[in-house]
Amino acid sequence: MDVKRLARLGMLTAAALIIFIVELQIPNPFPIPGIKLGLANIITVYAVYRYKAYEVAMIVGVRITLGSVFSGNIMALFYSACGSLFCLLGMIFLKRIIEKKHIWLASVFGGFLHNTGQMAAALIVTQTSSLLLYYPFLVVSGCLAGLFTGLCAQMILPRLKGL
């Protein structure tokens, strides 16, 4: 990997981390904890369609690690890692099926997979199956957030094509 490419990945990671930290400052309007827009995923969706899988994994890994440290919520690292792993694997697979002009659709699936991964992590940690009652709310919010972040990435991709 050349220095220029590494610098671009670093800039994308920094942008995603800044977006994540800013989003933490926005009060959650939903009465259900854990539901948020996930605006930093705009960078992830963009990167999936622009960079190699291992490069996107580096961006996401650094973002969730530093995001957990900066937010002071280290336990969130496990939940974010599980959700991001499901999401990233799914979106990398979907990249082969879904064209660039339909990134928003891959992002909706990514939101669904992210929440599925987080629910799996919660079930492992708590050993409580009653958490599954919470899952439909997470799926709906994840799909809506995925739609929003996907549409944002859809608009960004052509504008950043020359980079």
Side-chain angles (χ1 to χ4, degrees), residues 18-156:
I18 290 167
I19 293 169
F20 174 79
I21 298 298
V22 168
E23 187 179 3
L24 284 177
Q25 305 308 312
I26 301 169
N28 189 356
F30 304 105
I32 301 170
I35 293 178
K36 62 181 195 167
L37 280 176
L39 297 175
N41 292 323
I42 295 169
I43 304 297
T44 304
V45 174
Y46 163 77
V48 164
Y49 277 84
R50 179 73 173 82
Y51 293 96
K52 296 176 183 170
Y54 75 92
E55 294 170 332
V56 181
M58 288 190 314
I59 291 171
V60 171
V62 171
R63 178 184 54 89
I64 64 171
T65 303
L66 291 178
S68 294
V69 171
F70 292 160
S71 70
N73 191 356
I74 299 299
M75 191 57 195
L77 179 63
F78 180 64
Y79 292 103
S80 294
C82 289
S84 295
L85 180 66
F86 274 53
C87 176
L88 196 54
L89 291 174
M91 286 186 59
I92 289 169
F93 172 75
L94 288 171
K95 175 184 171 183
R96 298 171 189 211
I97 300 168
I98 298 174
E99 298 174 2
K100 284 183 184 178
K101 63 183 177 181
H102 298 296
I103 290 176
W104 62 270
L105 184 58
S107 183
V108 170
F109 282 111
F112 168 78
L113 291 169
H114 182 81
N115 285 331
T116 302
Q118 284 188 321
M119 182 55 67
L123 291 171
I124 290 168
V125 169
T126 65
Q127 304 275 319
T128 307
S129 62
S130 62
L131 285 176
L132 290 173
L133 296 172
Y134 183 53
Y135 185 62
F137 298 105
L138 282 179
V139 167
V140 170
S141 70
C143 289
L144 291 174
L147 176 63
F148 179 75
T149 57
L151 290 172
C152 291
Q154 186 80 49
M155 292 188 303
I156 290 171

